[in-house]
Amino acid sequence: MKTPKDTDLREALRRKFEGEPQLPADFIKSLTSNPSPRRGELKFSLIWKIGGGCCIAIAASVLLLIMLNIGKQQPEQQTPVVAEVVTEPQPIIPDEPVEHANPTKSIIPVKVAKTAAPKKQLAEAELPDTLGQGIFESEENVRLAVQMLSECEATIHHEEQQVNNRIIETTFNALPQAENALLVTNENGDFEVIEVSEQTAIEI
Amino acid sequence: MKTDEQIVEAVKSGRREGQDLKVGRYGQEVFAMIARQVPSVMDAEELTQDTFLKAFAAIGHYDPQRASLGTWLCRIAYRLTLDFLKRRRQFTVSIEDTEVWQTDITDEQLEAELSTGNEERIQRLELLIDDLPSNERLLLTLHYFENRTLDECSYIMDATPRALANRLYRIRKKLYKQLKQL
């Protein structure tokens, strides 16, 4: 029988690997019942990682799109509806004269400025659903503004009338008047000095 | 006791008994071979699992004429371990050291130098084995520790017996040179 050569090397290897680790006793059970659990966990976690990453990416994209949409819509929605009212005493020919509620009162022509036109026209596909609603809202605002203006006009007119009447009355009382001069109120409520016949004056 | 052929037939027919017998008989052998190559026991267990799962799946390709069932399993284990070490970048290939190659020593002289029975030399060799690249360490363990023939080693490591003989000679020469340097 041939004697093994390199005995030192064989002995070194034997000592080194003599106490090598043993396969766990439940290895067969784990192999047949649950093959490669760590790999299964790895796949599971990998699926979750990929799925989660996709969800986050989609959510971020949607959020970005929403933010961009809001960014586009906000300037138009915030476009101020300006009702410029001209109350100068000089008559101005209005673009669209507004009918006064009370035809007996003086009509001050009102110039209603139109809503400032948007600088950038949106493409048809980008038009928001609330676009028409904005027009109706602006018309409502104009109507309210006109109504408030009318009320202001009426108040101012009434006060002017009172001041004028007081002036007329004071002047009438302070100055010597003819015997047949009378202070009366006309149909508009203004004071007027009129001269009547002597018979009428005696009756009054 | 069932023969390898009976175990293979049982595995082929999908019987649980066949798988249990196969793992029970060759599990430790395969695990030990892998554990000598990879540092972590858990990795070795996982690679052993993978080896058997692959073997169960590919049992139809097993040819008893070429190698025994144990050797066939070791071949699968070797390939999986090699892939694992490459993935982990722990696979090292020895660079041809010209100084070692040019060392003028015959096979007989080498055999004499590595068969002294000197305790100090044996302990030094234990340390030097750790520093060997994994494929060289595997060849040494298969041939010197598991007493496999060069034909079996060549089947497991997918190399010709002559190439492995040359590789063994170089490894021994390298160990001899390092022993001289210490």
Side-chain angles (χ1 to χ4, degrees), chain B residues 135-154:
Chain B
N135 62 333
E136 290 184 352
R137 195 166 55 244
L138 176 67
L139 181 57
L140 280 183
T141 53
L142 287 175
H143 188 61
Y144 283 120
F145 183 68
E146 295 181 9
N147 294 317
R148 291 183 188 271
T149 62
L150 280 178
D151 283 338
E152 280 180 313
C153 293
S154 67

Side-chain angles (χ1 to χ4, degrees), chain A residues 41-180:
Chain A
E41 285 171 15
L42 188 71
K43 279 180 184 171
F44 186 72
S45 67
L46 197 67
I47 288 167
W48 269 109
K49 277 179 190 172
I50 292 170
C54 286
C55 286
I56 291 168
I58 290 166
S61 304
V62 169
L63 197 66
L64 192 67
L65 281 172
I66 290 169
M67 286 173 72
L68 284 173
N69 249 351
I70 289 170
K72 280 181 181 175
Q73 283 178 359
Q74 266 182 350
E76 291 187 10
Q77 285 177 353
Q78 290 175 352
T79 304
V81 179
V82 180
E84 187 183 329
V85 181
V86 179
T87 56
E88 291 173 8
Q90 297 296 324
I92 298 170
I93 301 168
D95 290 339
E96 290 175 12
V98 179
E99 290 292 328
H100 201 280
N102 187 359
T104 55
K105 293 182 179 177
S106 64
I107 296 168
I108 299 174
V110 176
K111 186 177 183 179
V112 180
K114 290 174 184 173
T115 306
K119 288 179 182 176
K120 186 186 172 186
Q121 292 291 333
L122 286 173
E124 198 172 330
E126 293 174 349
L127 289 175
D129 294 334
T130 55
L131 185 66
Q133 193 181 342
I135 293 167
F136 292 124
E137 280 175 3
S138 62
E139 282 184 356
E140 179 70 11
N141 289 337
V142 172
R143 194 185 63 76
L144 286 169
V146 170
Q147 191 179 347
M148 286 170 66
L149 178 66
S150 304
E151 286 170 6
C152 288
E153 282 173 13
T155 309
I156 291 165
H157 184 258
H158 181 68
E159 283 180 0
E160 279 179 356
Q161 195 179 36
Q162 280 186 337
V163 169
N164 286 335
N165 287 349
R166 199 166 295 150
I167 291 167
I168 292 167
E169 189 181 7
T170 308
T171 311
F172 180 80
N173 292 334
L175 295 174
Q177 299 296 330
E179 286 182 356
N180 58 346

Side-chain angles (χ1 to χ4, degrees), chain B residues 14 51-52 55-56 72 89 100 106 113 130 138:
Chain B
T51 301
F52 279 99
F56 294 150
W72 181 66
R89 300 175 193 279
V100 170
T106 62
E113 288 288 339
D130 278 338
L138 176 67

Side-chain angles (χ1 to χ4, degrees), chain A residues 3-18 20-24 27-39, chain B residues 16 19-20 23 27-28 31-32 36 42 45-46 48-50 111 114-117 119 121-122 125-126 129-130 140-141 144-145 147 172 175:
Chain A
T3 51
K5 60 179 186 179
D6 300 343
T7 52
D8 290 356
L9 189 55
R10 286 174 195 273
E11 179 62 17
L13 285 165
R14 190 190 64 77
R15 287 184 191 179
K16 185 158 187 59
F17 298 120
E18 201 174 31
E20 61 192 6
Q22 296 290 312
L23 196 64
F27 180 77
I28 297 174
K29 196 186 290 181
S30 66
L31 179 68
T32 50
S33 62
N34 186 20
S36 196
R38 288 176 63 195
R39 186 162 293 180
Chain B
R16 171 81 181 270
Q19 294 185 355
D20 290 356
V23 178
Q28 179 59 36
F31 172 71
R36 285 181 214 125
M42 283 186 72
E45 280 180 26
E46 195 180 339
T48 308
Q49 264 193 354
D50 291 347
E111 187 180 333
L114 294 172
S115 308
T116 59
E119 180 62 27
R121 181 162 282 203
I122 293 168
L125 277 170
E126 262 190 87
I129 288 165
D130 278 338
L140 280 183
T141 53
Y144 283 120
F145 183 68
N147 294 317
R172 288 162 67 217
L175 289 171

